[in-house]
Amino acid sequence: MKNFEFYAPTRVIFGKDSEKQIGTIIKNQNCKKVLVHFGGSSAKKSGLLDKIFESLKEAEIDYVSLGGVVPNPRLSKVYEGINLCKKEKVDFILAVGGGSVIDSAKAIGYGIANECDVWDIYSKKVIPTGCLPVGAVLTIAAAGSEMSNSSVITNEEGWLKRGCNSEYARCKFAIMNPELTYTLPKYQTASGATDILMHTMERYFTKEQSMEITDRISEGLMRTVIHNIKILMKNPKDYNARAEVMWAGSLSHNDLTGCGSVGDWSCHQLEHELGGMFDVAHGAGLAAVWGSWARYVYKSNISRFVQFSVNVMGITNDFYNPEKVALEGIEAMESFYHSIDMPISIKELGVNLTDDQIDDLAYKCSFKDTRTIGEFQKLNMEDMKKIYIMAR
Ligand code: NZQ
Ligand code: ZN
């Protein structure tokens, strides 16, 4: 077991009608002017935005708004937000949406609190020293940005998708009403659940011994998501299933399932390049590469895959044939992905990769052949290429 620090400072307000408290909650932030940041059309269409504006007005909170954040949020929108916040002297950002909106809000916050070009923070040239406070009203259970220290932004110049992790960007609060996720298209619900699973799997597949308590929490979380997403595929308005998945999304990425172990994160790195180049839904992109990654690396620690097969996927153990059990677990996970209409190859994701594109993906993912990814098994540029080929 590794030493660890656990820091989850976000105040969570969870349950039906929780968004009605927004005026009071923001009032307690002692801010002067709020930027309400949102995505394309869903929050307008559902009436959520109007409710939020109304609540801010009632609480006599001054605000401006900026919509139009797209999935795989763009740097150009972040610049727009930074300029607006500077002009309007905004000192608090309220993100209304999912991971993309929250991440865009965090990036705007970095852009205000740091002197540099905000992209320098995402390209790791500058370490941020602050971030404007951000709060979230979550409308999709997926990325976990509402409690994580991460944000991921896509630079249209070169289509690079890059992340930044720092404690400054943890949301001050997250309002989570599972009912707000009723309107999600099936694909986004499934893609979100995949991302939630992957946030725990990236931490679970560790080469060293983890903590028993972390393993049990992780296995319980994964089984809960798998069980409830099946319910949601049939009945998207099942409140309890929405609530289970929504809370799992936050717990999966606030680091609770990583205490005492070292995460791998290869699939996320491999997917971020796919998201940057082909604008695919993040969770679906993860499903498309996971099985290939797993088959490429499982021999580094077969026991871990056996534990996953037995404790998460319900495969019967065979003490004399651990490799078979490990492979059965990978197959079972892929069948599950198929059962919720998630892809298990890049082709199924809708992208037909050429050899040149594979070279490009691996070149970008290895930061021009200067880094390896992964902890379960370290992967260099050649390994990345092989996994993209297996997954295509
Ligand atoms: O723009 P609108 O119209 O709102 O549509 C969105 C979008 O098209 C729609 N949607 C959201 N809530 C809805 C809804 N549609 C109907 N009803 C609702 N209630 O769903 C689509 C996807 O939204 P998005 O915010 O992109 O989803 P998600 O939460 O999956 O975020 C994905 C982004 O987060 C990043 C991903 O890489 C990707 O860019 N990640 C962020 C992380 C973090 N900050 O900790 C960690 C993750 O690993 C991930 O990398
Ligand atoms: Zn993710």
Side-chain angles (χ1 to χ4, degrees):
M1 162 199 165
K2 292 272 181 201
N3 293 355
F4 67 88
E5 194 178 312
F6 180 67
Y7 180 62
T10 305
R11 179 182 169 203
V12 173
I13 304 109
F14 194 100
K16 287 183 185 177
D17 292 332
S18 48
E19 71 279 10
K20 288 188 179 158
Q21 299 177 44
I22 191 70
T24 325
I25 291 163
I26 297 231
K27 199 101 197 165
N28 291 338
Q29 300 295 321
N30 289 322
C31 52
K32 293 200 173 69
K33 196 161 193 176
V34 175
L35 171 72
V36 180
H37 201 33
F38 54 97
S41 57
S42 75
K44 265 188 216 157
K45 222 162 127 187
S46 66
L48 174 63
L49 263 183
D50 284 341
K51 273 196 218 161
I52 284 172
F53 292 149
E54 215 37 60
S55 182
L56 293 178
K57 276 181 208 151
E58 259 172 42
E60 296 178 344
I61 295 161
D62 211 3
Y63 68 87
V64 285
S65 65
L66 177 66
V69 178
V70 294
N72 298 315
R74 308 292 200 264
L75 182 62
S76 54
K77 182 58 73 180
V78 172
Y79 287 140
E80 200 183 328
I82 294 170
N83 290 335
L84 180 65
C85 287
K86 281 185 177 162
K87 188 172 141 240
E88 297 285 341
K89 298 197 170 42
V90 163
D91 57 358
F92 191 92
I93 308 176
L94 177 67
V96 181
S100 295
V101 177
I102 302 171
D103 286 3
S104 183
K106 289 177 177 179
I108 294 170
Y110 282 136
I112 300 288
N114 298 272
E115 288 294 313
C116 61
D117 178 345
V118 70
W119 186 248
D120 287 346
I121 292 174
Y122 287 86
S123 51
K124 311 271 186 293
K125 283 190 201 140
V126 175
I127 296 170
T129 54
C131 183
L132 215 62
V134 173
V137 178
L138 192 65
T139 64
I140 170 172
S145 185
E146 68 281 1
M147 281 191 91
S148 81
N149 69 353
S150 300
S151 58
V152 192
I153 296 295
T154 296
N155 187 345
E156 297 96 320
E157 217 173 278
W159 294 105
L160 290 173
K161 188 173 174 184
R162 295 287 176 260
C164 170
N165 296 353
S166 98
E167 300 310 328
Y168 299 115
R170 298 259 189 194
C171 285
K172 300 292 169 209
F173 62 80
I175 293 180
M176 292 190 235
N177 175 358
E179 286 177 326
L180 297 179
T181 64
Y182 283 176
T183 49
L184 278 168
K186 238 182 179 182
Y187 189 76
Q188 288 298 342
T189 298
S191 177
T194 304
D195 194 19
I196 294 169
L197 286 167
M198 282 298 306
H199 289 157
T200 288
M201 285 155 74
E202 296 273 26
R203 293 172 166 98
Y204 185 82
F205 287 102
T206 173
K207 206 164 175 192
E208 297 186 31
Q209 189 82 34
S210 172
M211 289 178 81
E212 190 179 336
I213 186 160
T214 299
D215 279 0
R216 294 294 95 84
I217 292 170
S218 302
E219 289 159 359
L221 188 148
M222 290 186 272
R223 289 204 303 261
T224 303
V225 173
I226 289 172
H227 174 71
N228 284 284
I229 198 68
K230 287 178 186 161
I231 296 174
L232 290 178
M233 289 298 103
K234 292 199 185 100
N235 180 10
K237 294 196 175 161
D238 184 307
Y239 180 81
N240 288 336
R242 284 285 182 194
E244 300 284 358
V245 173
M246 194 173 216
W247 187 222
S250 301
L251 298 184
S252 190
H253 206 29
N254 74 357
D255 240 1
L256 180 67
T257 60
C259 295
S261 67
V262 184
D264 181 77
W265 299 103
S266 295
C267 291
H268 266 73
Q269 301 303 315
L270 294 164
E271 190 289 327
H272 281 172
E273 300 312 327
L274 289 170
M277 269 170 75
F278 303 105
D279 204 18
V280 295
H282 170 63
L286 290 169
V289 295
W290 181 77
S292 299
W293 168 83
R295 287 191 182 86
Y296 194 78
V297 304
Y298 74 94
K299 287 184 181 152
S300 284
N301 183 358
I302 290 194
S303 310
R304 201 67 186 156
F305 274 89
V306 169
Q307 187 178 326
F308 174 77
S309 299
V310 175
N311 288 356
V312 181
M313 302 314 295
I315 307 288
T316 307
N317 201 0
D318 176 349
F319 293 100
Y320 299 98
N321 207 342
E323 190 163 356
K324 178 174 146 271
V325 179
L327 289 168
E328 279 175 6
I330 298 170
E331 261 171 47
M333 192 68 197
E334 288 183 325
S335 302
F336 162 72
Y337 282 146
H338 265 168
S339 77
I340 59 167
D341 289 334
M342 281 290 104
I344 60 163
S345 69
I346 296 170
K347 194 173 175 199
E348 287 181 6
L349 189 61
V351 177
N352 286 306
L353 284 181
T354 64
D355 292 345
D356 285 350
Q357 284 171 329
I358 286 177
D359 288 349
D360 202 19
L361 285 166
Y363 186 65
K364 283 179 166 172
C365 191
S366 62
F367 292 0
K368 305 181 182 171
D369 203 12
T370 61
R371 69 154 182 174
T372 59
I373 58 169
E375 287 292 335
F376 190 85
Q377 185 176 313
K378 291 214 182 306
L379 305 170
N380 62 24
M381 191 173 76
E382 287 310 310
D383 297 313
M384 296 172 201
K385 263 187 217 171
K386 285 178 191 158
I387 294 174
Y388 282 127
I389 289 168
M390 282 168 76
R392 84 162 143 192

